[in-house]
Amino acid sequence: MKCKVCSGPGVIDIRRHNANFCSEHFLRYCRQQVEKVIHEFRMASPGERLLVAVSGGKDSLALWDLLLELGYEADGLYVGLGIGDYSVESARQVKAFTDRFAAPRGGSLIEVDLRETYDIDVPTAAKVGKRVPCSACGLSKRHLFDKAAIDGGYDALVTGHNLDDEAAVLYGNVMRWQTAYLGRQRPHLPAENGFPRKIKPLVRLSEREMAAYCVLRGIDYQIDECPMAVGNKHLQYKAALNMAEEDTPGMKQAFYFGFLREAVDRFAPDAAAREGGQSNGEPGSDGSTNDAEGSLGLCQRCGSPTNNEVCSFCTLVERTSGHDPVPVELVRRPAKRRQR
Ligand code: AMP
Ligand code: FES
Ligand code: ZN
Ligand code: ZN
């Protein structure tokens, strides 16, 4: 296996591009893909301040690293969700990355802990509200991401969604014809109605490439999946697409970028889907909360944009705070029974 650029020994093959790369040229390829997508979708300009939501996983840590490499002024944001040992380890990875890779290049970390600040955590919110954990989790993250970006005066909120993530979300939205979400599934959502600009500069890179990036750069990351996401629809959609990709390399990229080119404009943007965010394929997690369509007002509790008197996050906090914390184990999905 020879590097496509220098003919030196290759370390990775990228079948959808029919290319192998050595370590140096693979890292360069990753930077180029991020630069290309930022330019293509006018995501950010030099000199702007970016806030990167970092989970401790490979994608968001690689992204923060890539943006700093490319010379962007980028800080990190970590939200402590209170998901037992999983969150403890995720926080540890984020802090280690900040000290070793971000701080020396001027990047600092903002931390928000759900338990400390709001007296809630994801397992307890899920149990008390009888919601799917990913729904309480997604709602909290979106709210806190938006708030941190606005409060900190950042030009954009950046997330580490990669090509596999976006293709799987698209697949789920198409399977259930979630037209409001389809209209918003762009890698760049401009700032509007009190929400910050949101960008996803990793959409040209795959999960596997991000894992390779971290290994080659010496970045440690949280390798475990969230224990509460096990068996969710999003992971099932990813598995289905992986099978198709195995057969036809490039299929995922063609599916997602073809949609952006040919179809996204056909689905009108829907402001109501914004507070709810994008569907991740879980029942109830598509944010189809009680937000009616129409112009947005401000939450009476926290002042963030909403269609209701009180936003979905403040409602979640009001219902959950004061309850004894529920351990993760009690919220895990029961294993599905085999169909006979
Ligand atoms: P997920 O929804 O877990 O697939 O994560 C998608 C993106 O959301 C990640 O790439 C991060 O940018 C961001 N993210 C997820 N969890 C957290 C967290 N606990 N704190 C900050 N950012 C997060
Ligand atoms: Fe949100 Fe698992 S990371 S429920
Ligand atoms: Zn090379
Ligand atoms: Zn509120």
Side-chain angles (χ1 to χ4, degrees), residues 65-97:
D65 189 63
L66 281 159
L67 291 171
L68 290 168
E69 273 301 283
L70 290 170
Y72 285 95
E73 200 181 312
D75 289 334
L77 166 67
Y78 173 73
V79 176
L81 301 163
I83 306 177
D85 294 345
Y86 172 78
S87 289
V88 173
E89 173 62 8
S90 302
R92 192 184 69 74
Q93 297 288 12
V94 169
K95 284 179 203 157
F97 176 90

XYZ file of all heavy atoms in Angstrom, residues 65-97:
251
model
N -8.733 19.990 17.389
C -7.332 19.974 16.987
C -7.160 20.519 15.563
O -6.287 21.352 15.295
C -6.819 18.527 17.060
C -5.320 18.437 16.864
O -4.584 18.999 17.694
O -4.882 17.829 15.862
N -8.005 20.062 14.653
C -7.904 20.488 13.251
C -8.125 21.996 13.114
O -7.411 22.673 12.364
C -8.942 19.727 12.410
C -8.545 18.293 12.036
C -9.774 17.456 11.686
C -7.570 18.314 10.856
N -9.112 22.515 13.836
C -9.401 23.955 13.723
C -8.241 24.780 14.269
O -7.874 25.814 13.690
C -10.708 24.290 14.459
C -11.971 23.730 13.786
C -13.192 23.905 14.686
C -12.222 24.401 12.425
N -7.636 24.316 15.366
C -6.472 25.035 15.903
C -5.302 24.942 14.915
O -4.599 25.928 14.680
C -6.080 24.465 17.274
C -7.067 24.763 18.419
C -6.754 23.911 19.654
C -7.065 26.247 18.802
N -5.123 23.753 14.310
C -4.074 23.579 13.290
C -4.260 24.556 12.140
O -3.310 25.068 11.572
C -4.146 22.174 12.691
C -3.388 21.078 13.411
C -1.903 21.338 13.531
O -1.164 21.169 12.551
O -1.515 21.733 14.647
N -5.530 24.756 11.769
C -5.823 25.622 10.626
C -5.775 27.108 11.007
O -6.034 27.972 10.175
C -7.206 25.280 10.043
C -7.290 23.929 9.321
C -8.735 23.565 9.003
C -6.464 23.949 8.018
N -5.490 27.388 12.288
C -5.305 28.776 12.714
C -6.561 29.464 13.218
O -6.560 30.689 13.408
N -7.620 28.707 13.440
C -8.841 29.340 13.975
C -8.704 29.574 15.470
O -8.023 28.821 16.168
C -10.073 28.467 13.710
C -10.501 28.535 12.270
C -10.082 27.575 11.359
C -11.287 29.585 11.817
C -10.448 27.650 10.027
C -11.655 29.666 10.483
C -11.240 28.700 9.601
O -11.594 28.781 8.292
N -9.392 30.606 15.927
C -9.463 30.862 17.363
C -10.615 29.994 17.877
O -11.787 30.293 17.596
C -9.778 32.347 17.585
C -9.417 32.826 18.963
C -9.778 34.290 19.149
O -9.426 35.104 18.253
O -10.427 34.609 20.143
N -10.294 28.908 18.545
C -11.344 27.948 18.907
C -11.229 27.536 20.368
O -10.183 27.050 20.806
C -11.242 26.712 18.008
N -12.315 27.749 21.116
C -12.403 27.264 22.496
C -13.273 26.021 22.514
O -14.016 25.745 21.560
C -13.008 28.337 23.411
C -12.054 29.504 23.632
O -10.822 29.287 23.527
O -12.526 30.633 23.899
N -13.213 25.267 23.624
C -14.010 24.046 23.754
C -15.130 24.235 24.781
O -15.039 25.079 25.667
N -16.176 23.433 24.620
C -17.289 23.432 25.586
C -17.611 21.983 25.920
O -17.907 21.183 25.023
C -18.529 24.077 24.945
C -19.856 23.855 25.691
C -19.857 24.575 27.042
C -21.031 24.344 24.841
N -17.540 21.650 27.209
C -17.915 20.293 27.612
C -19.127 20.365 28.536
O -19.144 21.137 29.486
C -16.745 19.598 28.342
C -17.173 18.259 28.904
C -17.394 17.171 28.063
C -17.404 18.085 30.271
C -17.836 15.954 28.556
C -17.832 16.865 30.780
C -18.054 15.809 29.910
O -18.501 14.611 30.404
N -20.132 19.552 28.240
C -21.322 19.497 29.084
C -21.312 18.177 29.860
O -21.326 17.094 29.257
C -22.608 19.594 28.220
C -23.844 19.425 29.096
C -22.660 20.931 27.497
N -21.275 18.266 31.182
C -21.320 17.075 32.042
C -22.768 16.613 32.160
O -23.603 17.322 32.713
N -23.050 15.436 31.587
C -24.436 14.970 31.510
C -24.820 14.077 32.685
O -25.978 13.695 32.835
C -24.634 14.197 30.193
C -24.344 15.016 28.937
C -24.157 14.107 27.728
C -25.485 15.998 28.669
N -23.831 13.701 33.496
C -24.120 12.867 34.673
C -24.464 11.430 34.328
O -25.245 10.792 35.030
N -23.852 10.904 33.253
C -24.120 9.521 32.850
C -23.042 8.618 33.465
O -22.204 8.038 32.768
C -24.177 9.400 31.311
C -25.182 10.417 30.751
C -24.586 7.983 30.880
C -25.274 10.450 29.243
N -23.032 8.534 34.792
C -22.139 7.633 35.534
C -20.688 7.710 35.094
O -20.160 8.786 34.789
N -20.031 6.533 35.084
C -18.598 6.450 34.749
C -18.310 6.961 33.346
O -17.221 7.462 33.064
C -18.120 4.986 34.804
C -18.174 4.455 36.223
O -18.302 5.274 37.155
O -18.114 3.218 36.389
N -19.282 6.822 32.462
C -19.097 7.272 31.083
C -18.792 8.774 31.063
O -17.860 9.226 30.385
C -20.351 6.951 30.268
C -20.356 7.543 28.887
C -19.614 6.970 27.866
C -21.104 8.680 28.609
C -19.604 7.522 26.599
C -21.106 9.241 27.346
C -20.354 8.663 26.350
O -20.345 9.214 25.099
N -19.549 9.542 31.831
C -19.315 10.991 31.856
C -18.012 11.336 32.579
O -17.306 12.273 32.188
C -20.482 11.715 32.552
O -21.625 11.672 31.738
N -17.684 10.564 33.622
C -16.431 10.830 34.361
C -15.241 10.666 33.410
O -14.355 11.518 33.335
C -16.305 9.856 35.568
C -14.940 9.991 36.243
C -17.437 10.099 36.569
N -15.251 9.578 32.655
C -14.142 9.315 31.728
C -14.128 10.332 30.572
O -13.063 10.796 30.156
C -14.270 7.873 31.184
C -13.295 7.490 30.089
C -11.831 7.531 30.516
O -11.544 7.706 31.714
O -10.963 7.428 29.615
N -15.306 10.707 30.095
C -15.366 11.688 28.994
C -14.755 13.011 29.448
O -13.962 13.629 28.719
C -16.817 11.932 28.568
O -17.423 10.733 28.172
N -15.105 13.442 30.661
C -14.580 14.716 31.184
C -13.059 14.631 31.322
O -12.332 15.582 30.997
C -15.216 15.030 32.538
N -12.579 13.481 31.766
C -11.134 13.320 31.943
C -10.412 13.466 30.592
O -9.397 14.134 30.490
C -10.850 11.933 32.552
C -9.416 11.769 33.053
C -9.151 10.359 33.548
N -9.128 9.367 32.487
C -8.138 9.206 31.607
N -7.076 9.991 31.661
N -8.208 8.274 30.665
N -10.996 12.853 29.553
C -10.365 12.933 28.239
C -10.363 14.365 27.705
O -9.383 14.819 27.115
C -11.104 12.024 27.228
C -11.062 10.551 27.555
C -9.680 9.936 27.339
O -8.706 10.646 27.146
N -9.604 8.621 27.391
N -11.462 15.056 27.917
C -11.545 16.434 27.419
C -10.495 17.308 28.116
O -9.788 18.101 27.470
C -12.962 17.023 27.648
C -12.971 18.524 27.389
C -13.984 16.329 26.748
N -10.377 17.134 29.439
C -9.418 17.974 30.178
C -7.983 17.647 29.769
O -7.158 18.550 29.618
C -9.610 17.790 31.682
C -10.846 18.523 32.174
C -11.039 18.318 33.656
C -12.485 18.533 34.026
N -12.902 17.883 35.248
N -7.703 16.368 29.587
C -6.338 15.979 29.184
C -6.013 16.582 27.814
O -4.911 17.097 27.585
C -6.218 14.455 29.148
N -6.977 16.536 26.902
C -6.753 17.115 25.571
C -6.509 18.618 25.679
O -5.614 19.179 25.035
C -7.955 16.849 24.651
C -7.811 17.496 23.304
C -7.207 16.826 22.255
C -8.236 18.810 23.098
C -7.037 17.450 21.014
C -8.064 19.436 21.867
C -7.462 18.751 20.825
